[in-house]
Amino acid sequence: MPPVDHECSLQPFLLHLMERMSKLEQENELLKKTLYGRRSERGKMPRVKTGESPTPEEVQATRKERAEAKAQTPTVRVEHKVPDALRKCTACGRTDLAPMGAGKCTFVWEFVPAKFVRLEHVQEVLRCPCGGCVVTAPGAPKVVEKGKYGASFLAHIAVAKCADHLPIYRLEKELARKGAPVARSTMNELLHRTSALLAPVWTRLLDVIRTRDIVLADETRLRILKDASGKPKTGFVWTFGAADERGGFDVAYHFADSRSGATPKALLEGTKGVLLVDGYSGYNDVENVSSRRRAACLAHARRYFFDALKTAAIAQEALDIITELYRVEHDAKAQGLSTDSHLEFRKLRAGPIREKFKDWLDEQQPRHPPKSPLGAAIRYTLAQWQELGVFLEDARVPLDNNASERSLRRIALGRKNYLFVGDVESGKSLAGLYSLVATCESRGINPFDYLADVLTRVQDHPAKAIDELLPAQWAAAR
């Protein structure tokens, strides 16, 4: 009987145990982080819109902006007269004291609660003594035919829901405190009416974004109370973002009842450029129906290595290399390089760093079990390697998809408060309003001012000139 090589027979079993132990250690660390730790992936990353603490210069600029904004606040003058008992000289006793300059001024900020008013519109009616005609003055402009609520009221509800993440029942309590008791069913109806009125605008916004050269996309879940069969279901909100030629970033959302690739396939069909996304397979079909090249997100790859750090300290080397890539981008933005110079700068400095990263991945891959946290991180990065290098071919392509992830935070905050949408149509209606509110906030536009104005104009605005009502063009015209 030939001798049994126990070492060879145990090796697969030991490898399996190592993978299993490493995976369990990672799951334990992730659970501890979820329960007790901070969610941010802080490290040595330079600030290229990564969410790190602002620099002193940025803090100073923010304070200056706030001071300028406060200077525009309406000022109410309150005069304080010297009491009669003090209107005499303490030295000579005279009482004919003269004013000294304009007085001593101090400012105190007070909050004046918002209030709702009921406007009574009275239309003048004239008639001719001959009895031949009667002339009536034009009535109050109404956003909704025969409706009792004006554009500013509708704008307030939309902003409270989409910008402040308030569920309707909380808004109902707020309005009751302010003397405007409105039933939540009425507000839900008004919210959907508002979205329907603005549908030509948010539909056009999505169309403009989806045809731009560089599009960023992502998705997140949002519960549906009742689907077509009347049962609860998980729906998904898809976000599509793109910068214009001046750098302004626009955001559009689309609601669907599933996470299948049918949504990005339908919306991006026939377009061209670059699609920057994570590794989700739902975006695979986009390349088959469009001329778009797929680019991958470096932040997603970094997250795998960050999660593997607790079970494999060597993952820090990968994080340090990724930090070098972000530092290149940070330096390029600090120098204010043009597009062509920016691309050359990337190739010169980031190119060698990517080669070093590839060598490190190839060296480490055989040393770690494929199903271990670090092995999974290496496998994911190598699978996305070509897509992760698209930023070296076009300076407009960012290193990561963080802008899309930030745009989905409002959806995540909203679902914590209002939990679900009633049905698919309600989800689509809400997504349209989210598109306009998010784009306004991305461009520094007050969404209430925008919605209150556009709601009064959209119904009579020529369809061929609908672009004039998009947030960027609306702000430029003002």
Side-chain angles (χ1 to χ4, degrees):
M1 183 176 181
V4 178
D5 189 343
H6 294 285
E7 183 177 349
C8 292
S9 62
L10 289 176
Q11 189 171 0
F13 179 68
L14 292 174
L15 180 62
H16 172 74
L17 286 181
M18 289 174 60
E19 289 182 347
R20 183 62 178 163
M21 183 179 296
S22 182
K23 185 176 181 181
L24 289 175
E25 286 178 351
Q26 184 197 30
E27 290 177 352
N28 183 49
E29 290 296 335
L30 289 176
L31 285 173
K32 288 166 61 178
K33 177 184 174 184
T34 302
L35 289 173
Y36 310 114
R38 57 175 61 173
R39 296 180 63 88
S40 61
E41 301 166 9
R42 292 186 179 272
K44 304 175 184 177
M45 299 282 285
R47 290 194 73 251
V48 187
K49 295 184 178 180
T50 57
E52 295 291 330
S53 301
T55 63
E57 294 77 12
E58 289 171 325
V59 171
Q60 189 64 29
T62 301
R63 289 175 177 172
K64 183 178 179 181
E65 290 177 3
R66 289 174 179 170
E68 292 174 352
K70 286 183 176 180
Q72 305 300 320
T73 304
T75 300
V76 177
R77 184 180 178 89
V78 181
E79 295 188 357
H80 298 268
K81 299 294 185 180
V82 176
D84 292 340
L86 300 178
R87 300 179 73 91
K88 63 180 180 179
C89 179
T90 57
C92 66
R94 296 181 59 175
T95 58
D96 55 339
L97 304 184
M100 184 177 175
K104 181 181 179 181
C105 293
T106 57
F107 293 95
V108 177
W109 295 90
E110 295 284 0
F111 175 73
V112 179
K115 62 181 179 180
F116 291 88
V117 297
R118 182 178 62 178
L119 299 182
E120 181 181 11
H121 296 269
V122 180
Q123 298 170 251
E124 183 183 21
V125 180
L126 304 176
R127 69 178 180 88
C128 180
C130 72
C133 73
V134 175
V135 180
T136 304
K142 290 188 177 181
V143 176
V144 179
E145 185 66 25
K146 297 183 180 180
K148 298 186 297 182
Y149 301 96
S152 60
F153 192 93
L154 302 185
H156 175 72
I157 295 175
V159 171
K161 178 82 171 184
C162 300
D164 301 331
H165 320 294
L166 289 180
I168 294 298
Y169 81 89
R170 290 187 195 171
L171 189 57
E172 181 184 34
K173 293 169 64 176
E174 177 200 344
L175 297 185
R177 289 196 304 269
K178 294 177 179 177
V182 182
R184 69 186 70 174
S185 58
T186 300
M187 283 190 280
N188 271 316
E189 175 63 22
L190 291 174
L191 193 67
H192 295 309
R193 285 279 192 96
T194 302
S195 182
L197 290 170
L198 295 170
V201 186
W202 54 258
T203 301
R204 176 56 182 161
L205 178 63
L206 176 58
D207 192 53
V208 168
I209 291 173
R210 74 177 191 88
T211 56
R212 285 182 179 159
D213 290 340
I214 313 296
V215 174
L216 287 66
D218 207 345
E219 74 289 330
T220 191
R221 59 182 176 80
L222 181 58
R223 191 80 171 165
I224 304 173
L225 183 61
K226 292 181 180 180
D227 65 357
S229 63
K231 298 179 180 179
K233 185 179 180 181
T234 299
F236 284 85
V237 179
W238 299 74
T239 178
F240 298 88
D244 61 15
E245 60 278 0
R246 296 186 178 181
F249 196 78
D250 296 321
V251 182
Y253 300 89
H254 180 81
F255 186 83
D257 61 356
S258 76
R259 199 190 178 199
S260 76
T263 296
K265 180 180 177 181
L267 291 176
L268 298 174
E269 184 175 3
T271 62
K272 59 182 180 179
V274 174
L275 174 63
L276 177 57
V277 291
D278 56 24
Y280 175 48
S281 60
Y283 297 101
N284 291 349
D285 289 339
V286 173
E287 291 183 273
N288 299 328
V289 297
S290 71
S291 299
R292 286 195 180 274
R293 182 178 180 187
R294 184 166 174 171
C297 172
L298 187 61
H300 275 82
R302 182 185 185 276
R303 191 166 302 144
Y304 277 91
F305 290 103
F306 184 86
D307 291 339
L309 193 58
K310 294 293 184 180
T311 56
I314 199 172
Q316 184 62 52
E317 295 182 9
L319 295 177
D320 292 340
I321 295 174
I322 293 174
T323 298
E324 292 182 40
L325 290 172
Y326 274 97
R327 184 164 289 113
V328 172
E329 199 65 10
H330 176 270
D331 293 345
K333 291 186 180 297
Q335 296 179 31
L337 300 178
S338 63
T339 302
D340 292 338
S341 299
H342 190 170
L343 183 59
E344 290 302 318
F345 190 79
R346 278 181 173 179
K347 290 180 178 179
L348 181 64
R349 287 189 50 185
I353 297 173
R354 256 181 61 85
E355 292 177 5
K356 180 174 70 172
F357 194 18
K358 182 63 163 58
D359 292 340
W360 186 90
L361 294 170
D362 291 337
E363 178 185 352
Q364 294 296 326
Q365 187 176 29
R367 299 180 180 178
H368 303 276
K371 294 184 180 179
S372 67
L374 184 53
I378 294 173
R379 188 173 69 252
Y380 176 88
T381 305
L382 289 175
Q384 300 281 315
W385 188 250
Q386 296 300 324
E387 291 80 2
L388 285 169
V390 175
F391 77 99
L392 289 177
E393 302 173 15
D394 191 332
R396 298 173 299 169
V397 178
L399 272 65
D400 54 48
N401 196 28
N402 286 351
S404 285
E405 291 198 353
R406 286 193 296 269
S407 68
L408 286 179
R409 286 180 185 172
R410 68 177 62 246
I411 308 297
L413 287 171
R415 72 180 176 223
K416 287 182 179 179
N417 294 327
Y418 53 73
L419 303 180
F420 52 78
V421 293
D423 50 38
V424 174
E425 291 305 314
S426 298
K428 292 180 178 179
S429 177
L430 184 62
L433 290 177
Y434 265 125
S435 299
L436 297 178
V437 170
T439 297
C440 283
E441 293 189 334
S442 172
R443 290 181 170 272
I445 300 169
N446 186 323
F448 174 82
D449 293 341
Y450 169 78
L451 293 177
D453 180 63
V454 173
L455 278 168
T456 62
R457 300 163 53 188
V458 64
Q459 297 183 77
D460 299 324
H461 202 79
K464 62 181 180 181
I466 199 68
D467 284 8
E468 296 174 357
L469 299 184
L470 296 177
Q473 288 85 331
W474 178 87
R478 290 168 68 91

